[in-house]
C-alpha cells in the first residue's frame, strides 16, 4: 500500500510539473490547461449538478462547488452572489473548501463565458479521492462546456484560494513575458492587424487603402499605354497608397535597377516584345517583397492591401494585368525571366512506362543440347 501511495504521489507531481512547463513560456502567456488522465472513470453529473450548471450558464449562480460522491458528480455548495465578484470571492473562498475533500470549483467573474475552473486537491486528502477527481476532470469539463471556461487553475493549498493570491495569478497570466525586439514587433503588428480587420467590412479579403490622386492619374495613363513604368508604395502612417515613380519608356534590361530590393513596392510594367515573330504587349504586375530591410508591420500591410488594390486598378482605372510576379532580393528580373513568366515552356506529358514482355512471350527459343 505504501508503494502505491508513493506512485500516485509521483503521478500528481508529474501533472503539476507539466502544468508549469506548458503554462510558462516566452511571449504572450497562454491559459494554464490541466492534463487529463487518459482513462476516465465514467462518473457523470447527477440531476442536481446539471440543474446547477444550467443556472450558472444563465448567470444565476456565482460559485458552484462539485465533489465526487457515490460514484457521481454532485454539487456540494452553491452561491448566488452579488454584482461584485470580488466581494463574492471573499465571502466564499477559501472557507467553503475542506482540506480533506478534493473538489472542482466553478467561479464566474463577469459574463457567462468568464468562468474559472479551480481543481482543489490538498496534499492531505485521501489518495483514492485524488485519483477519482483527476480521472473525472475531462468528463466534468465536457458536461459543463469548454467554451464557458476562461481560466483553469490547480490548487493544492487553501492559502492559494485567497482573493489576493488569485488576482496575482491572474495578473501574471495576462501580462506579457520577456520578449525580444522581433517578438515585440510581431506582437504589435498582430494587434494592429486585428484592429484593422475588425474596423473594416468583414466580407472583404484584405485591407482597402485609398489611392492618392497622383497614383490614380498614373494608373490611368498606364492603361492608355502613355506610361511604361509605374511604381507605388503603401504609406503605413497615413494608410494610403502613394505614387513613387513613373517612366514613359523603360528597356527590359533596366527594369531590375528600378525595383528596390530593400523595400516592398507595387510595380506595373508595360512590356512590349516580339514572340515567334508576332509583336505583343503585356502589362506585368511585380510585387517585390524583400526578406530583410523592412518591418514586419510593413510587410503585413503590403500583403493585406495587394488584393483590394489590384481589384481597384483593374475595375476603376482600366489596367489590364497580363501576368503577376512576386520577387525578392534574389530573384531575376532580366528580359529572359520576364519572357519565361509570360511564355512558359510547354510541359512535356509524362511518358508511359514501357512494360516489358512477360516470360515465354515471343518466338520459341531453341536450346542446343
Amino acid at each position: 500500500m505504501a508503494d502505491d501511495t508513493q506512485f500516485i504521489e509521483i503521478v500528481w507531481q508529474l501533472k503539476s510539473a507539466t502544468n508549469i512547463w506548458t503554462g510558462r513560456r516566452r511571449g504572450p502567456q497562454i491559459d494554464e490547461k490541466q492534463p487529463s488522465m487518459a482513462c476516465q472513470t465514467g462518473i457523470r453529473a447527477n440531476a442536481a449538478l446539471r440543474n446547477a450548471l444550467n443556472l450558472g450558464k444563465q448567470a444565476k449562480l456565482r460559485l458552484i462547488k462539485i465533489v465526487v460522491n457515490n460514484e457521481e458528480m454532485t454539487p456540494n455548495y452553491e452561491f448566488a452572489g452579488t454584482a461584485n465578484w470580488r466581494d463574492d470571492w471573499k465571502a466564499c473562498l477559501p472557507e467553503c473548501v475542506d482540506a480533506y475533500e478534493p473538489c472542482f470549483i466553478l467561479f464566474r467573474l463577469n459574463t457567462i463565458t468568464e468562468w474559472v475552473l479551480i481543481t482543489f486537491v490538498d496534499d492531505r486528502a485521501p489518495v483514492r479521492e485524488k485519483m477519482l477527481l483527476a480521472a473525472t476532470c475531462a468528463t466534468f469539463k465536457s458536461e459543463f462546456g469548454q467554451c464557458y471556461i476562461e481560466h483553469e487553475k490547480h490548487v493544492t493549498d487553501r492559502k492559494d484560494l485567497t482573493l489576493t493570491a488569485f488576482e496575482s495569478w491572474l495578473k501574471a497570466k495576462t501580462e506579457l513575458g520577456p520578449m525580444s525586439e522581433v517578438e515585440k514587433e510581431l506582437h504589435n503588428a498582430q494587434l494592429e492587424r486585428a484592429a484593422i480587420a475588425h474596423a473594416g467590412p468583414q466580407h472583404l479579403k484584405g485591407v482597402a487603402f485609398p489611392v492618392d490622386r497622383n497614383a490614380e492619374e498614373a494608373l490611368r495613363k498606364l492603361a492608355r499605354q502613355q506610361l511604361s513604368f509605374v511604381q507605388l508604395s503603401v504609406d503605413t502612417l497615413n494608410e494610403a497608397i502613394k505614387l513613387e515613380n513613373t517612366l514613359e519608356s523603360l528597356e527590359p534590361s533596366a527594369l531590375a535597377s528600378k525595383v528596390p530590393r530593400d523595400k516592398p513596392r507595387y510595380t506595373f510594367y508595360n512590356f512590349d516584345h516580339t514572340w515567334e515573330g508576332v509583336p505583343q504587349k503585356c502589362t506585368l504586375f511585380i510585387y517585390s517583397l524583400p526578406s530583410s530591410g523592412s518591418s514586419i508591420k510593413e510587410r503585413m500591410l503590403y500583403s493585406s492591401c495587394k488584393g483590394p488594390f489590384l481589384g481597384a486598378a483593374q475595375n476603376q482605372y482600366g489596367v489590364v494585368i497580363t501576368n503577376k510576379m512576386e520577387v525578392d532580393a534574389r530573384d531575376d528580373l532580366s528580359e529572359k525571366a520576364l519572357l519565361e513568366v509570360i511564355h512558359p515552356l510547354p510541359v512535356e506529358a509524362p511518358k508511359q512506362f514501357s512494360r516489358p514482355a512477360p516470360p515465354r512471350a515471343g518466338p520459341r527459343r531453341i536450346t542446343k543440347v
Side-chain angles (χ1 to χ4, degrees), residues 2 41 83 144 151 168 193 207 211 262 306 354:
T41 59
F144 181 62
H151 305 287
S168 300
R193 187 174 184 181
V207 181
V211 183
D262 58 343
K306 183 181 67 172
S354 298

Side-chain angles (χ1 to χ4, degrees), residues 132-329:
L132 279 179
L133 196 77
T136 316
C137 185
T139 305
F140 171 70
K141 287 192 287 188
S142 64
E143 291 270 2
F144 181 62
Q146 185 69 50
C147 60
Y148 293 95
I149 300 174
E150 182 74 15
H151 305 287
E152 295 183 37
K153 182 175 174 60
H154 185 76
V155 179
T156 59
D157 193 340
R158 293 177 78 250
K159 297 179 181 178
D160 296 333
L161 289 176
T162 62
L163 180 62
T164 303
F166 174 73
E167 288 184 328
S168 300
W169 173 82
L170 191 63
K171 183 180 179 181
K173 282 175 61 64
T174 55
E175 285 184 347
L176 296 178
M179 293 188 295
S180 63
E181 293 298 327
V182 176
E183 289 174 332
K184 291 180 181 178
E185 188 177 0
L186 179 60
H187 178 66
N188 294 333
Q190 289 175 343
L191 295 178
E192 293 177 4
R193 187 174 184 181
I196 293 174
H198 286 295
Q202 298 298 315
H203 63 277
L204 291 178
K205 293 183 178 180
V207 181
F209 279 177
V211 183
D212 67 359
R213 295 182 179 180
N214 295 332
E216 289 180 348
E217 184 63 25
L219 291 174
R220 292 190 177 96
K221 289 183 178 180
L222 180 80
R224 296 192 296 263
Q225 301 294 321
Q226 296 177 1
L227 291 176
S228 178
F229 176 86
V230 175
Q231 192 171 88
L232 306 104
S233 64
V234 176
D235 188 348
T236 57
L237 296 178
N238 299 318
E239 297 185 352
I241 297 177
K242 295 188 175 182
L243 181 65
E244 288 291 333
N245 190 14
T246 60
L247 293 173
E248 294 182 358
S249 62
L250 180 66
E251 294 296 328
S253 58
L255 176 62
S257 62
K258 299 297 181 182
V259 178
R261 298 307 177 96
D262 58 343
K263 298 178 182 179
R265 288 292 183 267
Y266 297 148
T267 303
F268 293 91
Y269 179 57
N270 281 333
F271 182 34
D272 298 341
H273 63 285
T274 302
W275 181 256
E276 296 181 352
V278 180
Q280 296 187 14
K281 293 184 178 182
C282 301
T283 301
L284 295 172
F285 172 74
I286 304 172
Y287 172 37
S288 55
L289 186 65
S291 56
S292 61
S294 58
S295 64
I296 297 176
K297 175 184 177 182
E298 192 175 20
R299 294 199 296 269
M300 292 176 65
L301 285 179
Y302 268 87
S303 178
S304 301
C305 294
K306 183 181 67 172
F309 168 66
L310 288 180
Q314 296 178 90
N315 300 327
Q316 299 181 21
Y317 310 123
V319 179
V320 180
I321 301 175
T322 309
N323 298 89
K324 302 175 185 177
M325 299 177 62
E326 183 171 338
V327 299
D328 60 12

Side-chain angles (χ1 to χ4, degrees), residues 3-21:
D3 295 338
D4 294 341
T5 303
Q6 293 177 359
F7 172 74
I8 294 171
E9 292 294 339
I10 292 174
V11 171
W12 277 97
Q13 292 175 7
L14 289 176
K15 285 164 63 64
S16 301
T18 305
N19 295 333
I20 294 175
W21 283 105

Side-chain angles (χ1 to χ4, degrees), residues 45-201:
N46 59 13
L49 178 57
R50 288 195 294 269
N51 181 59
L53 296 180
N54 290 331
L55 293 176
K57 294 175 184 178
Q58 300 172 18
K60 295 181 179 180
L61 291 178
R62 175 72 72 180
L63 181 144
I64 307 172
K65 177 187 173 185
I66 304 97
V67 297
V68 178
N69 189 15
N70 295 329
E71 297 186 359
E72 63 179 6
M73 289 183 288
T74 182
N76 180 267
Y77 179 77
E78 300 175 12
F79 185 72
T82 62
N84 192 323
W85 70 266
R86 288 179 173 84
D87 294 340
D88 297 340
W89 187 290
K90 294 178 181 179
C92 299
L93 295 171
E95 284 73 15
C96 70
V97 297
D98 184 3
Y100 296 93
E101 186 180 45
C103 63
F104 298 123
I105 300 173
L106 280 173
F107 189 89
R108 179 173 55 85
L109 297 181
N110 292 309
T111 65
I112 59 174
T113 59
E114 290 183 286
W115 286 87
V116 180
L117 173 59
I118 301 174
T119 306
F120 176 74
V121 181
D122 196 281
D123 295 335
R124 295 170 291 176
V127 175
R128 182 177 181 277
E129 302 296 330
K130 294 180 181 180
M131 298 300 294
L132 279 179
L133 196 77
T136 316
C137 185
T139 305
F140 171 70
K141 287 192 287 188
S142 64
E143 291 270 2
F144 181 62
Q146 185 69 50
C147 60
Y148 293 95
I149 300 174
E150 182 74 15
H151 305 287
E152 295 183 37
K153 182 175 174 60
H154 185 76
V155 179
T156 59
D157 193 340
R158 293 177 78 250
K159 297 179 181 178
D160 296 333
L161 289 176
T162 62
L163 180 62
T164 303
F166 174 73
E167 288 184 328
S168 300
W169 173 82
L170 191 63
K171 183 180 179 181
K173 282 175 61 64
T174 55
E175 285 184 347
L176 296 178
M179 293 188 295
S180 63
E181 293 298 327
V182 176
E183 289 174 332
K184 291 180 181 178
E185 188 177 0
L186 179 60
H187 178 66
N188 294 333
Q190 289 175 343
L191 295 178
E192 293 177 4
R193 187 174 184 181
I196 293 174
H198 286 295

